Amino acid sequence: MKTYLVIILFFTSHFTSAQNGFKIGLNISDYIINETAFNGSNHESIFGPYLGYFNDWNLSGKSNGESYFSLGYEICISAKGSLLKDFITYSEVTPFEIIDTSDVKKFFYYIELPHLVKFHYTLTDRVKLEMEVGGAVSLLVLYGTKTLEHSNPNYSRNETYFFFVPNLGEIPTSFIDYSLVGGLGINYDDILFNARYTRGLVKVYPNTTLSTLTLTVGYKI
């Protein structure tokens, strides 16, 4: 706890030129997957919301009209997942008997904490180009399955679970994900436009990690 307080005091005393605000956007995410891992022949991207708070510390002390580096963090809600096409469900009674072929949406809601080093390059007095690189830690808080189309109309697979409800449904391999992050953005005065790529490093299911493109608009307060 003392170490944490020292870090906070260090940042507040050395990097007083901090900028914070909120951002909202869209995730376009998909599995990086072994094609046979879910008995499916194909998988496609799905869309999910991204909503968060950000804070940047200016590391160089420079501001208007000059390029500078900053250190930033975010806390956000980030929805990811994938659409599995032609997902095959086998009978639990008779091995290898197919009881349903369907399109299945797998979704995950994370509390995500990106930590980024950013370079702000001045184009004009009002416009800056922003480049960022870093990592993120994500905690899975909600996950589920939604079947979109069935070959068997009597079979349904719609499940949603909070992370604190164990042993229900298809449990993910890990409830914590670590990711590599890189992105580009444009800042116009206090308005921010950003495109970011996030590559998951932890398997959410066997042979399955997450890949996400995030498009956001933000506002400094």
Side-chain angles (χ1 to χ4, degrees):
M1 184 66 179
K2 290 182 179 179
T3 303
Y4 180 75
L5 291 175
V6 169
I7 294 173
I8 294 297
L9 290 173
F10 176 80
F11 275 105
T12 55
S13 61
H14 286 73
F15 310 126
T16 55
S17 181
Q19 296 178 335
N20 62 319
F22 295 92
K23 58 173 55 180
I24 187 171
L26 180 72
N27 281 338
I28 306 170
S29 64
D30 198 358
Y31 285 162
I32 300 174
I33 189 175
N34 178 336
E35 294 293 344
T36 62
F38 283 98
N39 304 323
S41 59
N42 297 291
H43 54 94
E44 298 178 357
S45 299
I46 66 170
F47 299 99
Y50 184 99
L51 177 64
Y53 166 84
F54 67 88
N55 199 323
D56 284 348
W57 283 284
N58 188 331
L59 299 179
S60 62
K62 298 178 180 179
S63 56
N64 294 335
E66 297 182 276
S67 301
Y68 64 93
F69 284 93
S70 69
L71 181 64
Y73 75 88
E74 296 177 14
I75 179 169
C76 59
I77 297 294
S78 182
K80 305 178 182 181
S82 185
L83 175 63
L84 306 178
K85 304 287 289 186
D86 303 319
F87 183 90
I88 299 173
T89 302
Y90 293 95
S91 171
E92 296 180 358
V93 177
T94 306
F96 307 112
E97 178 187 356
I98 297 175
I99 61 174
D100 186 42
T101 302
S102 56
D103 293 346
V104 176
K105 179 182 177 181
K106 296 279 188 175
F107 58 89
F108 308 87
Y109 278 77
Y110 288 96
I111 295 176
E112 196 162 82
L113 301 170
H115 291 75
L116 305 161
V117 175
K118 302 180 182 182
F119 177 64
H120 307 261
Y121 180 76
T122 298
L123 297 176
T124 70
D125 290 341
R126 306 183 70 179
V127 180
K128 284 186 172 62
L129 175 67
E130 183 179 287
M131 292 162 279
E132 60 185 22
V133 64
V137 179
S138 305
L139 174 65
L140 181 62
V141 293
L142 184 73
Y143 63 96
T145 298
K146 183 177 182 180
T147 305
L148 303 182
E149 294 184 12
H150 304 266
S151 62
N152 180 354
N154 297 318
Y155 184 83
S156 179
R157 195 178 184 195
N158 297 318
E159 304 166 332
T160 302
Y161 301 111
F162 289 100
F163 74 99
F164 49 78
V165 182
N167 303 320
L168 292 175
E170 190 173 40
I171 303 299
T173 305
S174 174
F175 288 87
I176 296 179
D177 192 13
Y178 301 97
S179 307
L180 297 177
V181 180
L184 291 172
I186 291 286
N187 294 0
Y188 180 79
D189 290 338
D190 293 330
I191 302 174
L192 298 77
F193 302 94
N194 181 268
R196 175 184 299 170
Y197 177 73
T198 303
R199 171 66 183 267
L201 301 177
V202 178
K203 295 175 181 178
V204 292
Y205 289 117
N207 302 315
T208 306
T209 55
L210 286 165
S211 172
T212 307
L213 174 65
T214 304
L215 306 174
T216 60
V217 58
Y219 185 77
K220 300 176 185 177
I221 57 176

